[in-house]
């Protein structure tokens, strides 16, 4: 544990953007009812303190990368921005590359989770590969392409870095298989007796999403709001026809 790594007692911690990390005051109790005396903060467990440290480091890394780029940011700056020592950073992440890969993986997982929620919210009698679920997925792509622009140059910068460093590329591929596998499990819920493996379908869907996001950023008019959903409908319609033929 680094010198500035918070122990289980959870001292006050810095604020980043709109998020404030610190103990919450209890809503009731005698101390809260007398003057301005605050109730004592709850003691964090070691696991909770470590999780909070990781979250603060990731928040600081995201902001530092956004301001300085992957190459321009240093682990010293990230640790300082988070309010921790270099030792605390290295006790949670082995390198700057691992920090970035964690951020990249989290974002991919968040999008797969959002897609799963879209399908879960669909009416039980609705075909999940048509109608509103696909329209909702199209809206998600538009939001990513039009609003989530800070991370795009970072992704391009890191991809070029990984291309030139085979060990990093191998690690990147391994980390990105995790959200792909999660998407494959989601694809499984939309198919009966599949012939084409769901992992293969998930790879195509991810490539389609990433490609259309980049294309919309370059030429918005070429990727209208409904295109991703329509493309998925074409994909799944073709898959179903192909699999029906294969089962004859």
């Amino acid at each position: 544990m680094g010198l500035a790594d918070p122990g289980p007692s959870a001292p006050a911690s810095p604020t980043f953007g709109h998020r404030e990390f610190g103990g919450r005051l209890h809503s009731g109790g005698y101390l809260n009812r007398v003057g301005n005396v605050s109730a004592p903060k709850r003691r964090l467990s070691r696991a909770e303190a470590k999780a909070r440290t990781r979250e603060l480091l990731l928040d600081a890394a995201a902001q530092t990368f956004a301001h300085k780029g992957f190459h321009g940011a240093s682990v010293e700056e990230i640790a300082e921005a988070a309010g921790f020592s270099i030792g605390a950073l290295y006790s949670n992440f082995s390198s700057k590359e691992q920090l970035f890969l964690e951020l990249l993986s989290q974002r991919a997982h968040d999008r797969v989770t959002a897609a799963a929620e879209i399908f879960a919210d669909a009416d039980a009698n609705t075909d999940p590969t048509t109608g509103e679920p696909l329209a909702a997925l199209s809206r998600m792509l538009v939001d990513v392409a039009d609003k989530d622009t800070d991370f795009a140059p970072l992704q391009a910068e890191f991809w070029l870095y990984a291309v030139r460093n085979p060990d990093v590329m191998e690690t990147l591929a391994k980390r990105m298989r995790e959200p792909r596998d999660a998407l494959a499990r989601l694809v499984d819920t939309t198919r009966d007796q599949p012939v084409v493996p769901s992992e293969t379908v998930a790879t195509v869907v991810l490539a389609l999403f990433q490609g259309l996001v980049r294309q919309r950023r370059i030429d918005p008019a070429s990727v209208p709001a409904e295109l991703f959903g329509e493309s998925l409908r074409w994909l799944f319609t073709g898959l179903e026809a192909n699999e029906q033929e294969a089962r004859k």
Side-chain angles (χ1 to χ4, degrees), residues 16-72:
F16 295 97
H18 65 283
R19 302 179 64 186
E20 182 171 307
F21 297 90
R24 295 182 180 179
L25 299 181
H26 294 292
S27 59
Y30 174 77
L31 290 177
N32 277 348
R33 294 195 299 269
V34 179
N36 294 320
V37 180
S38 299
K41 297 174 182 177
R42 182 180 69 84
R43 184 180 179 86
L44 296 182
S45 69
R46 188 170 298 277
E48 289 172 329
K50 184 174 179 63
R52 194 186 70 161
T53 299
R54 284 179 63 87
E55 185 178 8
L56 285 168
L57 285 166
L58 286 168
D59 284 347
Q63 293 187 29
T64 307
F65 286 141
H67 290 146
K68 296 201 167 186
F70 174 75
H71 287 290

Side-chain angles (χ1 to χ4, degrees), residues 174-194:
K174 181 179 179 181
R175 288 304 303 268
M176 297 314 295
R177 288 187 196 110
E178 297 168 6
R180 184 209 63 185
D181 291 345
L183 181 59
R185 291 190 291 272
L186 177 59
V187 169
D188 266 338
T189 67
T190 70
R191 307 169 72 206
D192 294 321
Q193 299 179 319

Side-chain angles (χ1 to χ4, degrees), residues 144-200:
V144 170
D146 295 358
K147 300 176 183 178
D148 187 19
T149 56
D150 290 343
F151 210 66
L154 287 172
Q155 288 175 296
E157 183 185 0
F158 190 80
W159 184 82
L160 288 172
Y161 173 73
V163 166
R164 299 185 180 106
N165 295 271
D167 290 344
V168 177
M169 180 62 82
E170 184 178 344
T171 305
L172 173 61
K174 181 179 179 181
R175 288 304 303 268
M176 297 314 295
R177 288 187 196 110
E178 297 168 6
R180 184 209 63 185
D181 291 345
L183 181 59
R185 291 190 291 272
L186 177 59
V187 169
D188 266 338
T189 67
T190 70
R191 307 169 72 206
D192 294 321
Q193 299 179 319
V195 174
V196 179
S198 291
E199 291 79 7
T200 302

